[in-house]
Amino acid sequence: MDKPNILFYFTDQQRADTLGCYGQKLDISPNLDRLAAEGVLFENAFTAQPVCGPCRALFQTGRYPTEINCCRNGQPLPEDIKTLADYMEEEGYDNAYVGKWHLASYRENYTDPPVIDYETSAIPQSRRGGYRGFWRVSDVLEATSHGYDGYVFDENMQKREFKGYRADCITDFAMEYLDQYKGEKPFFLTISHIEPHHQNDRGRYEGPEGSKERFANYDLPEDLKALGGNAGEMYPDYLGCCKSLDDNLGRVIGKLKEKGLYDNTVIVYASDHGSHFKTRNKDEHLTGADDYKRSCHDSSLKVPLVIKGPGFRGGKRVRDLVSTASLPKTFLAMAGLDIGNRMIGENLKEIADGNTAHRANRIFAQISESRTGRCIRTEDYLYSVYAPDSDGWQEGSSSCYEEDFLYDLKKDPYELENLVYDPEYKKIREELSGQLLDEIEKAEGVRPVIRLG
């Protein structure tokens, strides 16, 4: 088999600094740390959309959420769009998906019942984004399960109940796939965990029993120390979730080795977005949702990204800024397909190999739900704008933005002093606003106005 297997180990709402290879002092991630030491770690990886559904829509299509009308939660993936799974199948891959989907149901808001409702029922084939094989999935996993116990549905739309800690049980389904895998085709397997996302109906993070005691001796990241929020109460369980994810990653790696698949499998570890633990957006209208991520700060945008396997070896640490919007294109490149401009982003292997002279070292992100906003992140600055007259739930874009914040990251790495009205930074703001407008025009096909403060 010439093509590698590809395993996407996908977490939800995980900050990069929860992991040892990103500086976490507690023993949270020995399995991922070993992968990073063997493969490639991207030190500065950022999401392009720090909301669950829009980020997942991007990952399945390689297109910005604004382009495909998936710029907020509760918007299904278009049924007529060609997806990552479709391309992978054409390239001879056996596709498998387990865990959280979040791309089938339709909501008008968070308070009324869904208009199209698969949140607690089986997702029909037409709404699975091209995945036609092994399937152990809930559309909204936090609605069909808690930290312990719940259910998903299989490819035949049959309920599959589980007992035990959720991350363990979702991994059990992935192990089921690997146990029955015959090797006739290379596989593309996504393990989409919900951990360490908070449990919506209970308003808290749910680590394995004993997490509060096990991880009581934690150090909060500096931004959370300074800004407060609810991290002081939630962080031990949050770390407990992260530790469980790593334990289960170890189980998957063990299974790959047992079956002789490890050396020819590319393992990609990433998250959809981070968590600011209610330290940002405190004065914004949050459409009825607890807010942990809907912001353009690093606490929401910065995520782990480790890739290990064929083409990604050597224990490299890449400092260049990269966007996880590049993952779909990169997956297809691993499979041997150069998708060109049919998907956004870049092939991350080129960045890992040091071919960076051609690129601007910055990332672009869109934000929705709490507000309609855009930002760019460079090595030195984080600059964000918002649409003051736009409802972030209903409107994914705007013709006019105002400046929101500017941080000088060399002087203020934890983004505590907003310089957007500082006259000494006027020229820098003008330069960054021009760069941001370039990114918006490239992504959305229009060039809006940014009103400078």
Side-chain angles (χ1 to χ4, degrees):
M1 183 167 54
D2 295 326
K3 295 185 178 184
N5 304 307
I6 303 169
L7 190 150
F8 184 23
Y9 199 88
F10 183 28
T11 72
D12 192 329
Q13 204 162 292
Q14 185 173 18
R15 293 171 63 115
D17 55 19
T18 57
L19 301 163
C21 50
Y22 286 93
Q24 172 60 233
K25 295 178 182 178
L26 297 179
D27 185 24
I28 301 294
S29 56
N31 293 296
L32 184 65
D33 297 346
R34 281 190 290 271
L35 275 190
E38 298 172 7
V40 178
L41 181 145
F42 293 86
E43 294 184 355
N44 295 294
F46 299 85
T47 184
Q49 231 293 1
V51 182
C52 296
C55 182
R56 283 164 175 73
L58 191 161
F59 282 177
Q60 296 306 319
T61 64
R63 295 161 74 174
Y64 281 110
T66 45
E67 183 184 355
I68 57 176
N69 197 33
C70 289
C71 57
R72 60 168 173 82
N73 284 334
Q75 290 180 305
L77 203 64
E79 294 185 57
D80 60 351
I81 197 168
K82 191 165 185 177
T83 65
L84 178 62
D86 291 325
Y87 283 112
M88 282 292 189
E89 188 173 271
E90 288 178 359
E91 292 303 308
Y93 275 75
D94 185 54
N95 293 319
Y97 197 105
V98 301
K100 176 177 176 175
W101 182 238
H102 218 170
L103 291 171
S105 303
Y106 177 75
R107 278 185 170 273
E108 295 284 357
N109 52 56
Y110 280 130
T111 55
D112 296 326
V115 177
I116 301 171
D117 189 3
Y118 300 106
E119 292 187 355
T120 58
S121 61
I123 302 170
Q125 180 65 66
S126 61
R127 292 185 177 270
R128 297 181 194 170
Y131 291 90
R132 286 174 271 273
F134 189 92
W135 178 261
R136 302 286 183 274
V137 174
S138 169
D139 190 34
V140 182
L141 189 55
E142 57 265 55
T144 65
S145 61
H146 291 95
Y148 283 84
D149 306 338
Y151 61 91
V152 295
F153 295 91
D154 67 18
E155 60 270 15
N156 299 313
M157 302 183 69
Q158 299 299 305
K159 181 184 284 189
R160 300 289 294 267
E161 295 185 354
F162 58 82
K163 292 286 185 182
Y165 190 62
R166 180 168 50 200
D168 299 338
C169 297
I170 294 301
T171 305
D172 288 343
F173 291 126
M175 303 286 265
E176 179 187 349
Y177 172 76
L178 292 173
D179 278 331
Q180 58 90 50
Y181 174 70
K182 303 300 183 185
E184 296 169 356
K185 298 180 179 179
F187 66 74
F188 175 53
L189 168 62
T190 298
I191 306 175
S192 178
H193 287 288
I194 189 173
E195 277 72 29
H197 192 289
H198 65 289
Q199 185 66 36
N200 285 330
D201 62 343
R202 293 176 174 171
R204 66 176 188 265
Y205 291 97
E206 297 193 342
E209 292 174 0
S211 292
K212 283 183 172 60
E213 296 76 21
R214 187 178 184 186
F215 301 108
N217 188 28
Y218 63 86
D219 287 331
L220 278 180
E222 294 298 323
D223 62 309
L224 302 182
K225 283 182 185 178
L227 297 171
N230 66 356
E233 174 190 358
M234 298 289 181
Y235 212 65
D237 271 302
Y238 186 70
L239 292 178
C241 293
C242 297
K243 174 60 174 170
S244 176
L245 291 168
D246 190 76
D247 291 343
N248 281 292
L249 175 64
R251 293 176 59 206
V252 173
I253 291 171
K255 178 61 69 174
L256 293 173
K257 290 181 176 178
E258 173 191 319
K259 292 184 67 75
L261 300 170
Y262 180 73
D263 289 339
N264 196 44
T265 299
V266 183
I267 300 173
V268 179
Y269 188 108
S271 192
D272 54 353
H273 51 73
S275 177
H276 62 66
F277 286 87
K278 300 187 178 183
T279 58
R280 309 289 186 175
N281 298 345
K282 284 190 274 190
D283 297 325
E284 294 177 19
H285 176 58
L286 299 177
T287 62
D290 284 339
D291 191 54
Y292 286 90
K293 62 263 190 174
R294 297 168 181 83
S295 108
C296 283
H297 297 84
D298 273 15
S299 51
S300 299
L301 297 179
K302 190 170 183 179
V303 293
L305 179 57
V306 173
I307 307 179
K308 190 271 175 187
F312 294 86
R313 303 190 194 276
K316 299 177 184 176
R317 296 183 70 95
V318 177
R319 295 199 60 190
D320 298 81
L321 277 64
V322 300
S323 173
T324 56
S326 294
L327 282 176
K329 179 174 283 188
T330 301
F331 288 140
L332 291 177
M334 293 172 184
L337 177 62
D338 181 355
I339 199 69
N341 60 10
R342 286 175 286 173
M343 287 186 175
I344 61 175
E346 52 197 338
N347 179 1
L348 292 175
K349 187 177 186 309
E350 293 185 6
I351 315 306
D353 289 344
N355 300 324
T356 60
H358 63 287
R359 66 191 299 268
N361 193 28
R362 67 185 184 222
I363 63 99
F364 165 70
Q366 302 173 328
I367 186 66
S368 58
E369 289 202 3
S370 61
R371 58 174 53 191
T372 300
R374 303 290 184 265
C375 76
I376 55 168
R377 169 66 154 80
T378 70
E379 280 191 289
D380 295 334
Y381 299 102
L382 173 61
Y383 176 75
S384 182
V385 301
Y386 75 104
D389 301 320
S390 177
D391 180 342
W393 178 261
Q394 298 295 339
E395 301 170 59
S397 59
S398 176
S399 61
C400 183
Y401 294 91
E402 291 185 1
E403 292 181 308
D404 196 1
F405 51 78
L406 167 68
Y407 296 105
D408 184 335
L409 300 173
K410 296 296 185 185
K411 297 179 180 179
D412 179 25
Y414 306 112
E415 302 166 3
L416 303 178
E417 183 181 3
N418 186 357
L419 301 170
V420 78
Y421 299 116
D422 189 325
E424 293 186 12
Y425 285 81
K426 184 174 186 288
K427 183 177 180 181
I428 291 169
R429 285 164 40 220
E430 290 173 348
E431 292 174 358
L432 292 170
S433 67
Q435 293 176 25
L436 179 54
L437 287 170
D438 290 344
E439 294 290 348
I440 295 172
E441 186 172 18
K442 178 182 175 183
E444 302 173 29
V446 296
R447 194 175 183 89
V449 173
I450 295 178
R451 294 201 291 255
L452 300 183

